[in-house]
C-alpha cells in the first residue's frame, strides 16, 4: 500500500463513521477527535472500519498511532508491508 492509498482509506473510514465530517479539510497533523468532534464510540467505530477496509489488525495499544491522517497512513503502510 502506498501513501495515497492509505490516506484514501483513512478518509473513507472517517466518512463512513461521521458522514457530515469535512474530511477533505483535515490537515495531516489534525487530531481526529478534536477536529471532527469525535466521541469515544465514534473513534472505536473508525478504528474498526479502518481495520476492515485496510485488512489489518489493530490492537488497543495502536490507538495512539491512529489519531491523525499522517499517523494513520504510516500505520497502514507499515502493517501492509
Amino acid at each position: 500500500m502506498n501513501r495515497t492509498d492509505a490516506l484514501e482509506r483513512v478518509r473513507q473510514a472517517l466518512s463512513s463513521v461521521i458522514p457530515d465530517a469535512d474530511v477533505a479539510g483535515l490537515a495531516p497533523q489534525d487530531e481526529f477527535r478534536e477536529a471532527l468532534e469525535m466521541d469515544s464510540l465514534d473513534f472505536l467505530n473508525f478504528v474498526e472500519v479502518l481495520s476492515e477496509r485496510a485488512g489489518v489488525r489493530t490492537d488497543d495499544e495502536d490507538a495512539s498511532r491512529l489519531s491523525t491522517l499522517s499517523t494513520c497512513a504510516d500505520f497502514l503502510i507499515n502493517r501492509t508491508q
Side-chain angles (χ1 to χ4, degrees):
M1 177 179 303
N2 64 38
R3 189 156 193 84
T4 301
D5 293 336
L7 289 170
E8 183 59 28
R9 288 181 195 216
V10 174
R11 288 185 182 105
Q12 288 174 352
L14 286 167
S15 292
S16 72
V17 173
I18 306 174
D20 297 333
D22 179 19
V23 177
L26 282 173
Q29 299 304 324
D30 286 347
E31 296 281 335
F32 299 144
R33 293 182 80 169
E34 292 174 22
L36 302 177
E37 298 180 10
M38 295 174 82
D39 61 25
S40 296
L41 186 56
D42 289 335
F43 185 74
L44 290 174
N45 288 336
F46 160 69
V47 172
E48 184 177 309
V49 169
L50 182 65
S51 296
E52 289 173 8
R53 291 186 181 210
V56 298
R57 179 181 166 189
T58 56
D59 299 312
D60 291 341
E61 61 269 7
D62 295 327
S64 65
R65 296 189 290 170
L66 301 173
S67 60
T68 69
L69 286 174
S70 183
T71 59
C72 275
D74 292 343
F75 175 83
L76 293 178
I77 292 166
N78 288 330
R79 282 285 166 104
T80 58
Q81 291 183 350

